Amino acid sequence: LTLQFTLFRTKPSLHPGQVRGALSQKKLMEATLPFVATHGWTTESISLGAQTLGYPSIAHGIFPNGPADLIELFLEDSRLKLESEMERKKAAGELENLSATDIVRLAVITRLEMTRPYIKRWPEALSVMAHPTNSVMSFTQLGKLVDDIWFYAGDKSPDMNWYTKRASLAAVYTSTELYMTQDVSPNSVDTLGFLQRRLEQAEFVGSGMKQLGTMLDFGARSFVGMVASVSNRKRMVLMYNSRILTYSLATSSVETRFNKVQDISIRHVISRHIRHV
Amino acid sequence: MPRISTSSVSTRTLLKLAVAPTKLRIQQAHYTTGNKNDSNEAEAPNLSSRKLTQEELEFIKPMIRVDQAGEIGANFIYMGQIAVLGKDKNLRPILQEMWDQEKVHLARFDELIAQHRVRPTLLRPLWEIAGFAVGAGTALMGKEAAMACTEAVETVIGDHYNDQLRKLVQLNDQNKDLVDLSKTVQQFRDDELEHHDIAVEMDAQKAPFHDVLSSVIKQGCKTAIWVAERV
């Protein structure tokens, strides 16, 4: 029996092609973007955009959550444009001789170019995205973006590196975008330098995770050694307790147990479960 | 020593063969396993190479995730068992062979994860440590207990793969990727049931507290499967 969970969002989910009535959200977004530089990421811009298309200003209701929906659609649209651009490059063989980091740099630059026209007003958008009600949306969009970039960079990790790589790239991308908001150099060349320094510094295959692996390995070995060194009677008691420990590890609250394993050594955890016979 | 357990084992194995689609039964044209020299293209020329739809991907991604997590657990269980019982000259080659097969399984699922862009399980270190602890723990209780652990785990995995096969078969409009996945699951299911039979042959039923041990391990595995599908 597998239970399928569906998240029911209270607001309708957006897609660039979604049509509502006679005006599609994508069309309205495209009409709104030229006004963003002057009027910011606000309902006012959306109204002005609707008016250029010949609709009444109240048509901003097509975005039920106002600026948040506009930004979400903009992010989704940019991500799809990045995807088609990378596909085109891949098909043209431009990615052939590039290293993974080079492809990452190329993809990040391509994506940042899409934000650059609106970069002066981008901090407004960032504050909207940071709002608690929009945090899921912005986190999901960032997650999809870094996953796409790593896919084109040829990432095939099947283990914890999948997570460390995406987390590092998310940090690189967001910090570079933030730097770009206050970059006044012509054509944002300073941002390119900033990106280069971040990429050199970034540890995509985390040493943090390596340390965890080593600790688990050591812990597991010392557990076996410790158990093998006690008497038979103590061993039965220890087995009983360790079975409970293992069972509880697998069935109890996953998050707290995982944190526990990370934070304190395994020897310490096990020693707390040994009953002295 | 009278091997009373053997006949009950074969009955159980026969039951498993009866209820699950195996290589012994007549297959649909798509699912052919067994003889690897068969050219599958000749049997199913209409297999489309279309890309999977978003819905189908959302359907198979948790399957691949949980299968990879399961193989990680199995790998570490055998690692733990060999760490304790490795010195036994009769047992070592058998355990080593089963472990090597699990490594092959894990490599295949790693491939599938890369191919379909599946997010791997976040709790990988947990499955690693739990697997090693269960393997080493039962091995310390003795050889029979280790075999009982293997028997319990392989039973749960066999049922789990059968459930997945049933779900995959129900999908309409099979394409190459889905058929590949079904074949993989089918082949691995057969391997895991083989391990189960080996474990029973090696006196798994004679383990101390066999029923309790077995049910605790089975319940742990089922919970881990539920969690790994989601996290």
Side-chain angles (χ1 to χ4, degrees):
Chain A
L1 246 197
T2 41
L3 300 171
Q4 301 253 319
F5 287 106
T6 327
L7 271 176
F8 291 100
R9 294 187 60 186
T10 51
K11 26 184 198 159
S13 56
L14 297 178
H15 187 275
Q18 188 176 348
V19 174
R20 188 188 287 274
L23 177 62
S24 78
Q25 287 175 331
K26 181 166 155 86
K27 247 189 158 163
L28 182 54
M29 176 197 69
E30 283 167 359
T32 308
L33 287 175
F35 293 98
V36 163
T38 42
H39 294 85
W41 299 87
T42 56
T43 316
E44 205 190 332
S45 305
I46 307 174
S47 303
L48 289 168
Q51 280 168 355
T52 57
L53 291 175
Y55 291 92
S57 65
I58 201 69
H60 69 69
I62 285 179
F63 291 136
N65 298 297
D69 280 349
L70 172 66
I71 292 165
E72 179 183 357
L73 204 54
F74 171 71
L75 292 174
E76 183 72 14
D77 192 49
S78 304
R79 186 180 68 83
L80 293 174
K81 274 202 262 187
L82 175 70
E83 224 180 285
S84 57
E85 180 60 23
M86 296 306 287
E87 279 293 336
R88 189 196 62 78
K89 287 194 160 80
K90 200 171 176 182
E94 290 174 33
L95 306 179
E96 288 289 299
N97 298 319
L98 297 177
S99 72
T101 315
D102 286 338
I103 299 178
V104 165
R105 182 189 308 114
L106 182 61
V108 168
I109 291 173
T110 312
R111 177 61 183 80
L112 286 174
E113 282 297 311
M114 300 176 196
T115 316
R116 205 148 72 88
Y118 316 102
I119 198 65
K120 282 286 163 283
R121 295 288 207 158
W122 192 243
E124 268 175 45
L126 288 174
S127 67
V128 170
M129 292 199 294
H131 199 264
T133 41
N134 303 321
S135 54
V136 172
M137 176 271 281
S138 49
F139 184 74
T140 316
Q141 285 294 339
L142 182 60
K144 286 192 205 173
L145 176 65
V146 296
D147 187 35
D148 276 351
I149 296 180
W150 270 119
F151 171 66
Y152 289 107
D155 174 47
K156 288 184 165 49
S157 351
D159 49 17
M160 299 313 282
N161 290 325
W162 191 96
Y163 290 93
T164 59
K165 279 179 164 175
R166 279 152 183 76
S168 307
L169 181 56
V172 167
Y173 178 81
T174 47
S175 62
T176 311
E177 205 177 48
L178 205 54
Y179 181 89
M180 199 161 79
T181 61
Q182 52 80 52
D183 183 15
V184 292
S185 61
N187 277 336
S188 304
V189 290
D190 283 353
T191 308
L192 295 180
F194 182 87
L195 174 61
Q196 181 57 29
R197 289 191 296 278
R198 295 288 76 72
L199 285 174
E200 278 164 14
Q201 216 182 24
E203 284 190 1
F204 286 134
V205 179
S207 70
M209 276 305 160
K210 242 195 197 154
Q211 282 174 2
L212 175 63
T214 314
M215 187 195 80
L216 288 171
D217 197 40
F218 167 74
R221 283 179 206 277
S222 55
F223 167 68
V224 172
M226 201 173 27
V227 167
S229 67
V230 301
S231 75
N232 263 329
R233 194 147 69 106
K234 281 186 189 172
R235 196 179 297 186
M236 284 308 295
V237 169
L238 181 58
M239 284 305 101
Y240 177 68
N241 287 319
S242 66
R243 232 182 321 138
I244 290 182
L245 171 64
T246 315
Y247 185 59
S248 67
L249 273 175
T251 58
S252 65
S253 160
V254 163
E255 189 193 294
T256 51
R257 289 295 170 200
F258 183 57
N259 286 339
K260 268 194 187 169
V261 164
Q262 261 183 316
D263 294 342
I264 54 187
S265 85
I266 293 158
R267 189 185 274 263
H268 182 52
V269 168
I270 290 167
S271 65
R272 282 194 294 155
H273 282 77
I274 293 176
R275 268 192 294 155
H276 294 289
V277 177
Chain B
M1 180 134 186
R3 299 268 299 244
I4 306 165
S5 53
T6 315
S7 57
S8 66
V9 163
S10 1
T11 322
R12 201 182 285 178
T13 320
L14 280 173
L15 272 171
K16 280 207 183 323
L17 285 172
V19 302
T22 70
K23 40 190 165 189
L24 298 180
R25 288 171 52 176
I26 298 167
Q27 301 289 322
Q28 294 181 34
H30 297 157
Y31 310 119
T32 49
T33 54
N35 193 349
K36 291 184 175 87
N37 294 328
D38 282 345
S39 94
N40 296 318
E41 282 74 28
E43 301 211 28
N46 300 324
L47 219 45
S48 74
S49 324
R50 67 165 172 87
K51 284 177 76 172
L52 290 169
T53 67
Q54 202 52 36
E55 268 178 6
E56 284 168 345
L57 275 170
E58 294 311 314
F59 191 67
I60 66 170
K61 276 182 183 181
M63 283 189 188
I64 298 175
R65 182 177 316 132
V66 69
D67 288 346
Q68 196 226 16
E71 295 301 342
I72 292 167
N75 257 288
F76 276 79
I77 287 177
Y78 285 122
M79 201 192 293
Q81 289 186 342
I82 289 189
V84 174
L85 293 171
K87 302 239 171 52
D88 183 337
K89 288 208 172 32
N90 294 326
L91 199 49
R92 174 78 191 235
I94 299 171
L95 287 177
Q96 188 67 46
E97 195 199 322
M98 294 203 282
W99 188 18
D100 289 340
Q101 274 191 315
E102 298 295 348
K103 286 182 194 163
V104 168
H105 290 187
L106 183 58
R108 175 68 184 131
F109 280 119
D110 288 348
E111 258 176 47
L112 280 168
I113 281 195
Q115 185 186 347
H116 294 295
R117 296 179 62 179
V118 179
R119 174 179 65 81
T121 176
L122 178 59
L123 301 173
R124 183 176 177 130
L126 178 63
W127 309 136
E128 292 182 355
I129 187 182
F132 192 92
V134 167
T138 50
L140 282 165
M141 283 171 70
K143 167 198 163 214
E144 287 81 16
M147 290 297 126
C149 163
T150 305
E151 181 202 352
V153 170
E154 303 293 7
T155 310
V156 173
I157 290 188
D159 290 339
H160 168 69
Y161 280 153
N162 278 332
D163 288 339
Q164 288 195 336
L165 274 175
R166 259 178 242 122
K167 284 200 273 185
L168 284 168
V169 163
Q170 282 164 15
L171 288 176
N172 294 325
D173 192 19
Q174 303 271 335
N175 77 337
K176 208 146 133 308
D177 291 328
L178 289 173
V179 169
D180 261 341
L181 181 60
S182 302
K183 278 193 209 164
T184 304
V185 171
Q186 200 165 358
Q187 179 61 49
F188 291 1
R189 192 262 333 262
D190 293 340
D191 291 342
E192 304 292 2
L193 288 182
E194 213 185 292
H195 293 178
H196 168 273
D197 295 341
I198 293 173
V200 172
E201 252 179 78
M202 304 290 298
D203 299 333
Q205 304 279 334
K206 293 191 188 139
F209 313 116
H210 172 265
D211 291 338
V212 176
L213 187 62
S214 196
S215 50
V216 166
I217 292 177
K218 280 185 188 169
Q219 188 50 52
C221 286
K222 286 180 190 161
T223 313
I225 285 175
W226 189 91
V227 170
E229 264 172 356
R230 288 157 181 83
V231 179

